[in-house]
Amino acid sequence: ELVSLCYLTVTWLAKLDNRTIGITTGTRTVSHSYGTWSRLIEGNFEGAFWNGYYYGDTHGSGAGRQRDTQCRPNQALAMVIAPDLFDQDKMRTALLTMKMSYWDRLAWQRYPQKTNFYNPYYDNNNDTDDYHTSNGFNYHQGPEWVWCKGFYLRAVLLNYSQQEIEKKDLSAFEDRFTKTFDSAQIYDIQKSL
């Protein structure tokens, strides 16, 4: 989702003032106009993130190919805010993959349970020597988030006709959401459940 936010930003900046900017990495500086940066992101997005059934969360992260190719629900945010980065057929395939991977819960896991990264127990006060959980490190490794589900639903609404949308899925989510919050007497939506 960060690349889609960057794309939106440089596209917007190109409309305001298409000046040339320089990005320095190590000893190398590359200069392009905002419009060129926007076109470079758009032209390379599919090739960098499409994994055959969904869009990977990262590209060249340095954490290994397994991390770069994880199916995570964050891709729905990018689909909603920057749909022109996506091929519509691939986007629909990704939405279906996301539904099969994450749909059974009120909130979405950010890693599937079968991966070795998944750790659903977040405790920011944990000050142990365990690298994977100490000081809340696993915040992005498993505790479920509600906000991703909203972007998923919005992406479905943007990419399917009314006839194609399975109303039962949207209704089932709404019913489960309402019942959960009513029964728990929750009056706001926290980022992490």
Side-chain angles (χ1 to χ4, degrees):
E1 79 268 19
L2 295 178
V3 173
S4 64
L5 290 167
C6 180
Y7 169 75
L8 286 178
T9 302
V10 295
T11 301
W12 175 72
L13 288 169
K15 291 176 184 172
L16 293 177
D17 180 2
N18 200 22
R19 71 176 63 184
T20 298
I21 57 169
I23 305 269
T24 302
T25 305
T27 59
R28 183 174 173 232
T29 299
V30 178
S31 297
H32 292 295
S33 68
Y34 291 123
T36 300
W37 280 115
S38 173
R39 288 187 297 281
L40 284 169
I41 293 170
E42 186 175 13
N44 289 287
F45 186 84
E46 288 279 338
F49 292 99
W50 179 246
N51 290 319
Y53 296 100
Y54 56 87
Y55 292 90
D57 194 44
T58 59
H59 176 74
S61 68
R65 178 148 172 76
Q66 187 177 10
R67 286 270 175 130
D68 286 346
T69 59
Q70 290 293 318
C71 178
R72 295 181 60 187
N74 308 43
Q75 62 191 299
L77 168 66
M79 292 175 188
V80 170
I81 65 170
D84 49 327
L85 288 177
F86 296 86
D87 172 88
Q88 188 171 21
D89 290 334
K90 290 177 182 175
M91 192 178 338
R92 287 176 172 218
T93 299
L95 289 168
L96 179 60
T97 301
M98 291 169 64
K99 177 183 172 190
M100 292 185 307
S101 300
Y102 301 102
W103 188 254
D104 64 332
R105 302 177 128 343
L106 175 64
W108 287 34
Q109 303 163 2
R110 286 171 319 247
Y111 280 110
Q113 289 184 9
K114 63 184 177 181
T115 67
N116 59 354
F117 304 118
Y118 180 72
N119 186 333
Y121 305 107
Y122 171 72
D123 178 7
N124 196 43
N125 294 320
N126 178 345
D127 195 18
T128 65
D129 292 334
D130 184 351
Y131 171 79
H132 299 288
T133 58
S134 183
N135 297 310
F137 178 81
N138 68 313
Y139 182 67
H140 289 90
Q141 313 304 59
E144 298 173 343
W145 282 348
V146 174
W147 70 268
C148 297
K149 188 71 95 173
F151 282 102
Y152 170 83
L153 294 171
R154 183 71 179 141
V156 167
L157 291 172
L158 290 172
N159 289 286
Y160 289 92
S161 69
Q162 285 299 100
Q163 294 78 21
E164 293 174 300
I165 295 174
E166 297 177 60
K167 292 288 188 184
K168 63 180 181 164
D169 287 341
L170 298 176
S171 297
F173 169 72
E174 185 178 355
D175 290 345
R176 185 173 33 214
F177 187 84
T178 302
K179 287 177 186 172
T180 299
F181 281 85
D182 285 348
S183 67
Q185 296 182 344
I186 297 173
Y187 301 104
D188 65 348
I189 300 174
Q190 298 176 11
K191 189 173 183 181
S192 180
L193 292 178

